Amino acid sequence: NLIDSFLAAGLVAVLFAPMRNRLQRGVNRLMYGERDDPYGVLSQLGQHLEATLEPGAVMPAIVETVANSLKLPYVEIALEQEGRFETSASYGSSTGEATVLPLVYQKEMVGHLILAPRSPGEPFTRADRRLLEDLALQAGVAVRAARLSIDLQRSRERLVATREEERRRLRRDLHDGLGPTISGLPLQLDAARYLLRESPTEVEPLLLRLKTQTKDTIADVRRIVYDLRPPTLDDLGLVGAIREQANNHLSAMARGKGEPGEEAFHVETPACVPPLPAAVEVAAYRIAQEAMTNVARHARASTCRVSLSFEDSRDMLWLEIVDDGVGLPEDRRAGVGMSSMRERASELGGTFEVAQVSTGGTRVLVRLPLPASEELHHNEEYPQWRIPVSS
C-alpha cells in the first residue's frame, strides 16, 4: 500500500544515501583528488613544507604536493631570473596545454605556477581555480623564502671562492713577483761590496740597477696594496675618490677629444657624508669607477651625472650614474664589468639595476644597505666632504 511504499522509500534513503555520498566522494577523490577539501590540501601543503628542511627541496615538494593532491599530470614552478622565467622544479609529464598562475610575494612577481589540465581540452572548474589561486598565494611565500635561502647560500659560496682566489692571487704575486726580487737584492749587495774593494769603477752601474729594481719592487707593493683597498678612499674619502676618478676621465677626454664641457662629469652628493663601513665604501667606489669607465669608453656621451644619496631612514646608500649616450645595445650581453658591479652589490645584500633611459642614455642604480649600528646623521665630528659641480 501507499504507507508501506513511503516507509520503504524512507528506509532506502536513510540506509543508502550515506553510502552514495561516500561512494561519490571516493569517485571524486579518484578523479579530481582533494578538490572538495581545499582546507585539507592547504594543510597537507603546509605539513610538507614544514617537514622540508633543505631550501632546495621546497619547490619540488610544492609541485609534487599540488600534482598528487589534485591529480594533475604536470606541475611546474618557473622563477624569474633577470627578466626571463626558468624552470626551477617540475613534477609529471607536460601535455602541452597549461594554465599559468602568478606567484606573488608582497606585490613582487617571484615566478609562475604552471599546471596542466587533467585531460586534454578539459578546463579547470571555478572550484579548481579558487583552490589553485589559494595554493599559489601560499606557494609564493614559500618560494620567496626558498629563493632567498638559495641566493644566500650561493652568495656565501661566491664569497668563499672569491676570498680563496684573492688569497691565491696574493700568494702568486708575493711568491713569484716580490719574492725573487727581494731575495736577489742581498746577493747584488754582496756583489757591490766585493766590487767596491776590487773594482770601484763598476760599483756605480750596479747600484743604479739596484735602485731601479727597488723602485719596481715598491711599485709592485703599492699595486698589491691598491688591489686590496684603494688608498684614495683613506686619503680622500668615498666622495673625494669618486671626484678624483671623474677628474681623471675629464683629463682623458680632453686629451682624446678636445676640451670637454664643465658638465661632462657632474658629481652630486650630500653636503655631509658620514663615515661608512669599509665594505660599502669599496663596493660603491669600485661600482662608480667601473660605471664611469664604461661611459667614457662606450657611451659616446656628452654628460654623465654621478649621484650619491641616502634614504630618509639613513639605512640605505643610493648610487646613481646616468649618461646621455647611445644607450644599451639590443643584443647586449653582460660583460665582466657589468657582472662585477652586480656581484659587488649582491655580496652586501644590495641591488643593482641597469636600464635604458627614455630620453636616451643609460641609468645605473645601486642600493647598498648600511648596518643599523652606524650612526648616519649630521655630526660635527664627521669630515665635511663637499664636491664642486666641475673640476
Side-chain angles (χ1 to χ4, degrees), residues 239 242-243 245-247 249-250 253 260-269 288 292 295 301-308 319-324 387-391:
V239 177
I242 293 177
R243 179 182 64 175
Q245 282 295 315
N247 290 338
H249 288 300
L250 281 172
M253 292 172 63
E262 288 190 351
E263 300 90 37
F265 279 90
H266 183 96
V267 182
E268 299 177 355
T269 71
M292 286 189 289
V295 171
S302 59
T303 61
C304 175
R305 179 174 58 85
V306 182
S307 175
L308 195 71
L319 176 64
E320 185 181 40
I321 301 96
V322 182
D323 66 78
D324 61 353
I387 304 303
V389 170
S390 66
S391 59

Side-chain angles (χ1 to χ4, degrees), residues 173-183 216-218 220-221 224:
D173 290 345
L174 294 175
H175 182 271
D176 299 341
L178 292 178
T181 303
I182 296 176
S183 299
D216 293 340
T217 303
I218 293 173
D220 288 340
V221 172
I224 294 174

Side-chain angles (χ1 to χ4, degrees), residues 229 233-234 237-238 274-286 348 385:
R229 176 178 170 84
L233 287 177
D234 296 324
L238 175 60
L276 301 174
V280 174
E281 272 192 337
V282 173
Y285 172 72
R286 293 298 192 192
L348 299 178
W385 294 324

